Amino acid sequence: TGYDYAGFGVFADWRDGRGPRPEGRYYGLVFCPDCLATDPRPYFRRTWRLAWSVVCVKHGIVLQDRCYRCGHPIGFGRATRGGGPVRRPVVDRILRCAKCDAYRDDAPRVAASPNEVEHQRARDVVLQKKIAKLPHVAGSAAAPNYFAMLHSLCNRLSGPKSQDLEFQSAAYQWAHVRFAKPDWYTISHRVTSLTLPARRPALHVATAILAGWPHSFTEILWRLPNGPAVAADAFSFSGW
């Protein structure tokens, strides 16, 4: 992929689920159906393991984290037939759902918005160049610090606390993104445990905030009745 960083060890907080969890509540791995369809030998990209990857920049579509036919989370477990595992080639385990055998590259494509594609490209560039250059901040930030701040913002944008909900509402309004209060299951987990549809808007807003940092953050605080208190808490974010 061209992205090294010693096996992504510095981005451990961003590693997503490694396959289905009990009761199918967590998402699995993610994939781009167009990438799998056009690969001479299909494979899953390492960057798809990082939870900030939600869009394929090359094809302009949203990545997928479940089987389009049965809804089963994406994983490489063996298919089961008649109560026992079924051995099959590696390429089949990559291309086909372990539960219903649907081909992943047949999944309906969901077009990403131009802003989503641009934000995904910006995150990929930071990872590739290992630094983040923000227009309103002197100097530049190392990639681990940028993604630590992104992680903190995303958690605030999907967290359960009452002050988080106030910040979320103001931030989503500022970014012109529809805000939906997280459900009981979503709010009890970090951003890396969210389904991909729930993760997309949080990443969209957080990336937009960092692109205009710190002015964007100040504008959001002005929308809050307790802006100074939120600001004091916000600057305790790790990584910056």
Side-chain angles (χ1 to χ4, degrees):
T1 62
Y3 304 138
D4 180 33
Y5 264 125
F8 292 163
V10 295
F11 301 124
D13 287 345
W14 278 103
R15 289 180 183 173
D16 65 10
R18 301 191 180 197
R21 296 300 206 282
E23 302 180 23
R25 286 179 171 174
Y26 288 86
Y27 63 93
L29 302 172
V30 300
F31 70 96
C32 169
D34 275 348
C35 286
L36 294 184
T38 57
D39 285 340
R41 183 177 179 83
Y43 69 100
F44 272 55
R45 278 67 172 161
R46 292 176 64 195
T47 49
W48 293 348
R49 287 284 309 282
L50 298 169
W52 70 68
S53 293
V54 293
V55 168
C56 176
V57 173
K58 180 178 179 180
H59 297 109
I61 62 176
V62 177
L63 301 182
Q64 303 194 26
D65 66 349
R66 291 182 182 272
C67 174
Y68 74 96
R69 179 185 291 172
C70 69
H72 192 65
I74 303 302
F76 299 134
R78 294 179 180 176
T80 57
R81 301 290 185 274
V86 176
R87 291 184 178 274
R88 57 184 185 179
V90 173
V91 68
D92 270 8
R93 295 171 65 182
I94 291 174
L95 282 179
R96 300 175 72 175
C97 174
K99 186 174 182 180
C100 73
D101 270 345
Y103 280 92
R104 290 169 181 149
D105 54 351
D106 286 339
R109 277 54 166 171
V110 179
S113 70
N115 282 340
E116 279 190 297
V117 174
E118 188 58 33
H119 286 169
Q120 184 65 60
R121 181 178 288 110
R123 294 190 292 268
D124 290 347
V125 167
V126 172
L127 179 63
Q128 188 173 32
K129 294 188 175 181
K130 304 184 180 180
I131 59 171
K133 294 183 178 180
L134 304 180
H136 305 297
V137 177
S140 52
N145 291 341
Y146 172 88
F147 286 111
M149 189 62 167
L150 186 69
H151 190 270
S152 295
L153 281 171
C154 284
N155 284 338
R156 286 294 295 270
L157 290 166
S158 58
K161 298 179 181 179
S162 58
Q163 61 266 37
D164 285 344
L165 293 177
E166 293 177 357
F167 177 73
Q168 290 161 22
S169 179
Y172 276 68
Q173 185 182 31
W174 169 83
H176 304 290
V177 175
R178 187 177 68 84
F179 173 66
K181 184 177 178 180
D183 60 25
W184 70 271
Y185 185 77
T186 298
I187 64 179
S188 63
H189 294 81
R190 298 186 305 172
V191 64
T192 46
S193 294
L194 301 180
T195 62
L196 189 141
R199 212 159 66 236
R200 281 174 60 196
L203 276 164
H204 178 79
V205 176
T207 305
I209 292 174
L210 287 184
W213 187 271
H215 305 307
S216 54
F217 188 72
T218 304
E219 290 178 22
I220 294 170
L221 294 185
W222 276 107
R223 299 171 182 261
L224 300 176
N226 59 340
V230 175
D233 182 50
F235 283 103
S236 66
F237 284 151
S238 62
W240 219 323

